[in-house]
Amino acid sequence: MTREPYLKVTWIDEVTGRPGYLVIDRLGRGVSSGGLRMRAGVTLDEVADLALGMSRKEALAYEPGLRYQPLGGAKGGIDCDPLDPGAGGMLRRYIAAMKPLLQSYWATGEDLGLRQEAIDAACHEAGLRTSIDAVLPLLPDPDAALKGLDEAFAVTVDGIGLADLAGGCGVAEAALTAIDLTIPDRRATAVIQGFGSMGGATARFLARAGVPVVGIADSEGLVANPDGLDVETLLLTRDEHGRIDRSRLRATDEKLPRDAWLDLDCDVLVPAAVSYCIGVSEAPRVKARLIVEAANSPVTPEAEALLRASGVTVVPDVVANSATNSWWWWTLFGDIPAESDAAFAKIRSWMRRVVTDVLTEAATTGRLPREIAHAISDRNLAPR
């Protein structure tokens, strides 16, 4: 029998009449963790699926001996286009409505369509100290812990904040590990869909590791170059919504339709934007050997079966995009200092170990990597 979530909430905005949702899949140590997204058309079922995924990500991060021990999973969703002029007001009203749950049960942060700064501002307006107030009672010294987290958020690396780089470091390391395990005999190339904090950071780490990024898709289209794009220039000139400044493209860079990202020749495909973007109709177009899920649930189960039959390995989101969440908690609970080198070292070592375990067991048993990752999560969710 399928387990029902701990709590489902549907909220209707009195100004716009549009809904917002919160699903707490389960509690761990009395609290749940999961981001808040804003997307026109977001549904309760989508939010519930993402909340379950957060429970699995939390459980996958279990390591004996750490101060941070996994929380439960949750997710919030607001049915609004983040570019809508009224988006900020709807966010503030949603946060005010969810304040009792944010105080006691749900720690949240940025997700698709929202930046952490906007969530923080809405929380402060509602009278909350942070967007993670629910976790503070678990800390022996909340003031010191928050000071350490603030120091980590203030760290920048070559113009980009550490908080924006942590998740992409994990995705890139997942890709690099998968490359080493599945296609070690060639110089791999990558295509990335989405150029926000996750996609942009992934592009940087891959390019710096010697993996040319030959295509990047944003909301305006696809830019491509078979010899590799100038990732650093594009990163530092993108806008707050991850849109590339086309005036900074080189003469050899191509501008193509947005959905052409699936058709480019590459070894690694990184969907880092929306959920369910690779379905049964898109799967046959994939030319890559590897898909590394930086977005939440970008590959549908039906498409994953087709891809597997074609020899494509999918590194699931529950593993690949979990570093942002883990980095927050490792830092807050004091398992790593507020330093970029320590953060990247922890993320890389943890991600390489988990991806190696998942892909090795998948190759040995013939099961999907997603099934193996879920099994590891389920084992970690068992009473300890």
Side-chain angles (χ1 to χ4, degrees), residues 308-375:
R308 181 186 186 185
S310 300
V312 180
T313 298
V314 178
V315 181
D317 59 345
V318 67
V319 177
N321 73 8
S322 60
T324 300
N325 182 69
S326 297
W327 170 78
W328 267 64
W329 301 137
W330 287 328
T331 304
L332 184 72
F333 282 85
D335 291 308
I336 57 173
E339 301 169 359
S340 60
D341 287 347
F344 297 152
K346 175 64 174 173
I347 289 167
R348 286 175 173 135
S349 64
W350 179 82
M351 187 63 72
R352 184 159 286 271
R353 175 179 62 79
V354 174
V355 172
T356 298
D357 289 347
V358 167
L359 294 189
T360 300
E361 187 171 343
T364 301
T365 63
R367 300 168 67 192
L368 290 170
R370 190 180 311 278
E371 294 172 343
I372 302 300
H374 290 177

Side-chain angles (χ1 to χ4, degrees), residues 179-180 182-187 289:
I179 289 168
D180 288 344
T182 60
I183 48 173
D185 55 337
R186 59 180 295 164
R187 185 186 187 212
R289 299 269 299 277

